[in-house]
Amino acid sequence: MPLPRVSLKSFLATAKTAARAAGASSTPSTPVTFVIGNESADLDSLCSAIVLAYLRTYAPDSPHSTFYIPLCNIPFADLSLRPELSPILQRAKISRNDLITLSDVQLPHPSPIASEQTNWLLVDHNALQGELGSRFGGRVIGCIDHHDEENKVPRDTGLEPRVVKKSGSCSSLVVQYGRAAWDALSKDSKTNNEVASWNADLAYVALAPILIDTTYLKSKDKTTKDDIEAVSYLESMITAIPGNRYDGEAYFQELSKAKESIDDLSLNDILRKDYKQWTENNLNLGISSVVKDVHFLVNKAGGIDNFLQVLKAFAEERKLSICSIMTTSNPNGQFQRELLVWGMDEKGIASAKQFFEKDASKLGLETWSEGKLDSHDDGWRQCWIQKELASSRKQVAPLLRACMG
Ligand SMILES: [Mn+2]
């Protein structure tokens, strides 16, 4: 029998208690099951984990009473780098403190938790990275993701999902997968206001990343049929509440504005905010995604020398062979991408050069600001305007990784 459904807030409270108990014990009496997004911990990762964990826990056809804990793949302190959570939390009637982070389970250090006592369901990635990957990579039981297939999740996942499919937002795939369960949980939503209100809370969480990732379904490059269907399903959940005033465009605008409000953050925090790291042949690659252009970052640091110094320290702290920044911005209302790649050591330099030779024309790379950031003395560093606008980190990271050998 599945557990009886409760509000999102109560669900998270139970999940937090379970997470803290699990993190404090080396031998939890029963295995714990985490649902976790990728380490950039962007809205898509955070929201997809919450929604999938909730639906898996209460799915009426759930054959067992597993409790799925949605885990944010960052320490608690780093939630403050994500002001774009605020519009969601407010609508879903939860707070930052309700979210479960790595700090609750004392991961990756110093939790004594035994790997065999954990199960991991991945959303928004399909290979656990970094320390979590080396400790728990063998305990992954399923995934729902829209990145390239990494062939790390077992093919047969039994009762758990194994979905890897292109879509604007991973959240759309979670909604598609969980829809039957959600429908079944909503049977009395027409007569029971509490159920209708729980549905709306969850719908706001699932909706936010889709609006952001597809520019509210306006991005032709990114929007898929699954995104469109998910938005329509979720919006119907919200408008089902009598007298509920819903304005999707206003929600989208509020989220976008909050996401771009990084003026108060330090350069180091901006680089950390939406960051991913991979290891290929013992070389580390790190890519920061930033929602303002390179000029903004250079000004923030107080000039090119300071900018490079902060970036170098950031890379050294993470033992990166290749350090990269990808920016998106809208100068004069025109969407623009920039890419900076810095090979830091001998192998990183060779990889960066190979990437440039192989992929520069594909990505439409053009010298940024007369080459002011380029150098072939201090490692190998180039900054470009990236004319190929459809390629985000999801596309560029595999190109870089393919050159690291
Ligand atoms: Mn995503």
Side-chain angles (χ1 to χ4, degrees):
M1 278 287 286
L3 298 159
R5 184 182 182 185
V6 298
S7 70
L8 183 56
K9 191 167 178 85
S10 304
F11 164 71
L12 292 174
T14 308
K16 193 179 270 274
T17 307
R20 287 188 170 167
S25 157
S26 57
T27 50
S29 48
T30 48
V32 278
T33 302
F34 296 109
V35 182
I36 191 165
N38 69 53
E39 75 278 23
S40 78
D42 64 359
L43 284 190
D44 199 23
S45 277
L46 300 180
C47 295
S48 293
I50 292 170
V51 174
L52 183 61
Y54 183 94
L55 291 174
R56 287 297 290 151
T57 297
Y58 301 118
D61 62 350
S62 173
H64 42 53
S65 52
T66 302
F67 194 95
Y68 294 77
I69 301 170
L71 186 58
C72 304
N73 202 342
I74 39 169
F76 178 75
D78 288 7
L79 284 177
S80 64
L81 300 180
R82 290 157 178 80
E84 60 271 28
L85 279 170
S86 300
I88 309 171
L89 300 173
Q90 189 200 339
R91 283 171 176 79
K93 305 189 215 72
I94 52 177
S95 75
R96 245 180 200 84
N97 291 321
D98 294 327
L99 302 178
I100 299 107
T101 65
L102 296 179
S103 309
D104 288 305
V105 280
Q106 303 183 44
L107 282 171
H109 285 301
S111 170
I113 194 165
S115 162
E116 316 82 69
Q117 289 297 82
T118 65
N119 293 311
W120 300 78
L121 190 48
L122 310 184
V123 287
D124 206 19
H125 62 329
N126 65 83
L128 263 182
Q129 298 294 327
E131 285 201 56
L132 289 183
S134 37
R135 254 178 95 177
F136 305 106
R139 301 295 305 170
V140 174
I141 54 170
C143 68
I144 298 184
D145 183 30
H146 63 150
H147 292 83
D148 287 352
E149 173 67 63
E150 305 264 357
N151 295 308
K152 289 278 163 61
V153 180
R155 283 288 149 185
D156 181 6
T157 52
L159 295 168
E160 299 297 342
R162 194 195 193 291
V163 178
V164 178
K165 191 179 170 188
K166 290 269 169 288
S167 66
S169 170
C170 177
S171 179
S172 303
L173 302 178
V174 168
V175 170
Q176 186 179 57
Y177 168 81
R179 197 164 161 162
W182 200 342
D183 281 340
L185 282 172
S186 309
K187 273 202 193 92
D188 29 347
S189 63
K190 289 211 174 62
T191 49
N192 186 333
N193 290 341
E194 196 175 45
V195 169
S197 140
W198 292 349
N199 279 348
D201 295 348
L202 196 65
Y204 276 120
V205 177
L207 194 52
I210 315 178
L211 301 188
I212 286 291
D213 290 346
T214 67
T215 321
Y216 200 172
L217 306 178
K218 287 188 287 288
S219 164
K220 289 202 179 65
D221 294 329
K222 293 190 179 151
T223 309
T224 65
K225 194 169 139 277
D226 295 331
D227 298 305
I228 297 168
E229 280 176 13
V231 166
S232 137
Y233 181 73
L234 296 168
E235 290 187 332
S236 75
M237 290 279 186
I238 297 169
T239 52
I241 297 184
N244 194 10
R245 294 228 323 263
Y246 170 72
D247 182 342
E249 187 58 30
Y251 189 29
F252 168 64
Q253 291 299 341
E254 214 180 306
L255 288 163
S256 313
K257 230 179 118 199
K259 192 179 171 207
E260 278 161 33
S261 65
I262 59 168
D263 294 33
D264 295 338
L265 299 181
S266 68
L267 176 57
N268 191 61
D269 281 347
I270 292 171
L271 295 173
R272 281 185 330 117
K273 178 177 153 61
D274 188 348
Y275 174 73
K276 280 192 188 176
Q277 189 172 313
W278 295 266
T279 305
E280 299 289 346
N281 297 313
N282 292 320
L283 304 184
N284 294 331
L285 160 71
I287 310 182
S288 300
S289 282
V290 180
V291 292
K292 302 258 175 161
D293 65 15
V294 173
H295 278 295
F296 171 91
L297 298 177
V298 169
N299 288 338
K300 169 114 259 176
I304 284 181
D305 289 347
N306 286 348
F307 167 74
L308 293 173
Q309 208 181 327
V310 172
L311 185 55
K312 191 172 201 173
F314 180 87
E316 280 171 356
E317 198 183 328
R318 290 163 179 78
K319 301 190 168 56
L320 301 184
S321 293
I322 305 178
C323 171
S324 173
I325 298 175
M326 297 187 69
T327 78
T328 53
S329 56
N330 289 283
N332 309 315
Q334 232 16 36
F335 182 69
Q336 175 188 271
R337 286 188 184 279
E338 296 158 324
L339 171 64
L340 180 150
V341 173
W342 192 349
M344 317 286 304
D345 54 24
E346 198 185 325
K347 286 187 170 162
I349 292 168
S351 311
K353 280 184 180 165
Q354 195 192 333
F355 164 77
F356 178 62
E357 280 156 25
K358 244 177 68 194
D359 301 308
S361 63
K362 195 186 310 174
L363 292 171
L365 301 183
E366 295 179 3
T367 302
W368 178 89
S369 195
E370 294 145 19
K372 283 198 190 94
L373 281 172
D374 299 357
S375 165
H376 295 171
D377 303 325
D378 187 9
W380 185 95
R381 184 177 64 238
Q382 301 236 105
C383 184
W384 305 280
I385 308 275
Q386 182 191 307
K387 291 288 179 185
E388 213 295 285
L389 296 177
S391 293
S392 66
R393 183 169 58 191
K394 205 179 275 106
Q395 288 75 33
V396 174
L399 298 177
L400 276 164
R401 289 169 66 192
C403 297
M404 294 163 63

